[in-house]
Amino acid sequence: MTVPHLPPIGMLAELTHRCPLQCPYCSNPLALLKANRELDTRAWLDLFGQAADLGVLQVHLSGGEPTLRRDLEQLIAGLADRNVYTNLITAGVGIADGRIEALAEAGLDHLQLSFQGARAATTELIGHHRGSHEQKLETARRARAAGLPLTINAPIHRHNIAEVPELIELALSLGAERLEIANVQYGGWALANRDMLMPDRSAVDRQADIVEAASQRLKGIMNIDFVTPDYFAHYPKPCMGGWARDAFMVAPDGTVLPCHAAQTISSLRFERFGERSLSEIWTDSPSFNAFRGTDWMQEPCRGCDRREIDWGGCRCQAMAIAGDAAATDPACAKSPVHDRMAALIDEARHAAASPGGGNAFLYRRMGTAPKPV
């Protein structure tokens, strides 16, 4: 199969790694980039212009915490000028009075707000930030008052999976059009906390039943997206819709990546915006072309009738668990190492049952390596 060069339609822009929260499930890399490594306003606007020229229709503005960028209004206005849809992904903490309204005035189209729990105690335990729950509630109220569509994002793990029914009711009470029940994916910092975060299978099954029932009950009222946990899956998900297929992400320093964790594949070299144009990177980068399409696939992926459904699953997960980025995603039942997923679930269960094992989080801190807190 010829490697396709379809134009991308989506982009995730990690504007900064700075964040007021210290979530143990953070998917950002172990080594965070400090503020002096971030692209400046002019570079981001240039990059966004090239993205629009390339065909990008929607940009997700994320981090870290993107509202820590003082130029966020200017960046949103630049994207609005190119008729690019903008979604702000925020923790909703520490946002100054009037800022949400200013972002809406600049042209922001949508706000996605994360909640670490349905209860204040859970939110503060996971985010390691006192008063964060009330601040999030206020951010949601301000967003709705400013006329912004609202998505509530709930990263789910062992310590809040029992709160899924309450999270559904919380999202309804805040007037959210969409709720994302996003089971934590174990990459970046989250991988260091896997044993502390992994739920047990019975809790995952209960959660799936609860979400399915709520989705039917709330049809036409609120959409619920259910991001299934890979470790409990029968088939893998198409990561980012397929490696460099129709979307990409950009790190705070301008490094252009096919997916959030791609830099964990050490055999690949990723280029920075400015070294080459965005179009050249998208079309010609050896790293982008490494796992595009299906020609790279080994068996059983190569002969599988799902190869253009899941596009081989997650290359980073294959690297982390199978030790080969070109291997079948271990989340797939057809993978020769699929049993490793069950073994890792069991390891996490035993770790949780050990004295003090349930809450020994490695909290995320700027400029520090993983170590117990």
Side-chain angles (χ1 to χ4, degrees):
M1 181 179 182
T2 302
V3 174
H5 289 139
L6 299 174
I9 58 174
M11 171 185 168
L12 172 64
E14 300 278 3
L15 300 179
T16 181
H17 279 160
R18 292 172 287 147
C19 186
L21 303 186
Q22 300 175 24
C23 301
Y25 62 78
C26 180
S27 60
N28 279 334
L30 294 182
L32 296 177
L33 297 169
K34 295 184 179 181
N36 62 358
R37 299 280 303 280
E38 297 170 11
L39 292 182
D40 63 18
T41 307
R42 180 177 296 180
W44 274 116
L45 288 173
D46 185 14
L47 190 155
F48 290 148
Q50 290 191 30
D53 291 340
L54 196 55
V56 168
L57 303 174
Q58 180 166 314
V59 170
H60 303 274
L61 301 165
S62 185
E65 175 48 55
T67 60
L68 293 176
R69 292 278 306 212
R70 295 180 180 180
D71 59 356
L72 185 56
E73 288 87 344
Q74 190 175 348
L75 299 180
I76 289 170
L79 286 162
D81 286 345
R82 296 300 307 270
N83 295 314
V84 175
Y85 187 93
T86 49
N87 173 39
L88 177 65
I89 303 173
T90 177
V93 172
I95 301 176
D97 289 350
R99 188 85 192 278
I100 296 297
E101 295 78 5
L103 295 171
E105 182 66 24
L108 181 65
D109 292 298
H110 184 274
L111 189 138
Q112 181 172 321
L113 175 62
S114 67
F115 273 85
Q116 286 66 47
R119 308 165 193 167
T122 307
T123 300
E124 294 178 13
L125 170 68
I126 303 303
H128 215 232
H129 190 287
R130 184 173 296 177
S132 57
H133 195 78
E134 283 302 321
Q135 291 180 53
K136 290 171 181 289
L137 294 174
E138 181 60 22
T139 295
R141 296 183 191 108
R142 290 180 179 179
R144 298 302 289 128
L148 289 171
L150 177 66
T151 289
I152 299 301
N153 174 261
I156 301 299
H157 46 80
R158 179 193 306 153
H159 298 273
N160 66 3
I161 196 167
E163 296 180 24
V164 165
E166 296 168 68
L167 284 163
I168 293 169
E169 295 308 313
L170 175 65
L172 273 173
S173 72
L174 294 174
E177 286 89 353
R178 177 173 168 265
L179 168 64
E180 185 175 273
I181 300 293
N183 285 271
V184 166
Q185 307 298 310
Y186 298 102
W189 194 270
L191 187 59
N193 281 290
R194 182 171 56 195
D195 285 352
M196 280 69 75
L197 294 171
M198 183 87 72
D200 61 49
R201 189 174 298 275
S202 60
V204 171
D205 291 343
R206 285 195 300 273
Q207 172 196 218
D209 291 342
I210 289 166
V211 171
E212 174 61 25
S215 296
Q216 294 301 318
R217 173 171 59 90
L218 298 174
K219 188 174 293 185
I221 300 171
M222 182 176 72
N223 292 324
I224 302 179
D225 289 341
F226 184 50
V227 181
T228 56
D230 284 346
Y231 281 59
F232 299 86
H234 190 71
Y235 292 119
K237 298 188 292 292
C239 180
M240 291 283 288
W243 182 277
R245 185 166 173 263
D246 60 13
F248 62 93
M249 71 153 289
V250 181
D253 66 349
T255 301
V256 186
L257 302 165
C259 74
H260 198 277
Q263 287 174 300
T264 61
I265 304 175
S266 59
S267 61
L268 300 180
R269 177 190 175 274
F270 297 100
E271 297 165 292
R272 290 180 60 193
F273 176 73
E275 295 173 352
R276 301 178 78 190
S277 71
L278 198 56
S279 177
E280 289 171 329
I281 294 172
W282 175 257
T283 303
D284 299 326
S285 168
S287 293
F288 270 61
N289 286 328
F291 302 113
R292 245 182 186 136
T294 59
D295 284 351
W296 60 271
M297 291 181 177
Q298 305 172 1
E299 294 294 354
C301 291
R302 181 181 288 272
C304 181
D305 58 6
R306 292 181 55 85
R307 65 185 177 277
E308 294 188 15
I309 296 174
D310 57 40
W311 301 98
C314 178
R315 298 301 88 224
C316 305
Q317 190 158 261
M319 184 74 243
I321 297 174
D324 178 4
T328 300
D329 186 340
C332 183
K334 298 180 181 181
S335 165
V337 297
H338 181 64
D339 59 348
R340 294 186 189 176
M341 305 300 264
L344 289 167
I345 294 169
D346 284 341
E347 285 179 20
R349 180 170 54 83
H350 290 307
S354 65
N359 291 300
F361 293 137
L362 306 179
Y363 283 106
R364 167 108 267 183
R365 284 196 174 96
M366 197 81 176
T368 61
K371 59 182 181 181
V373 175

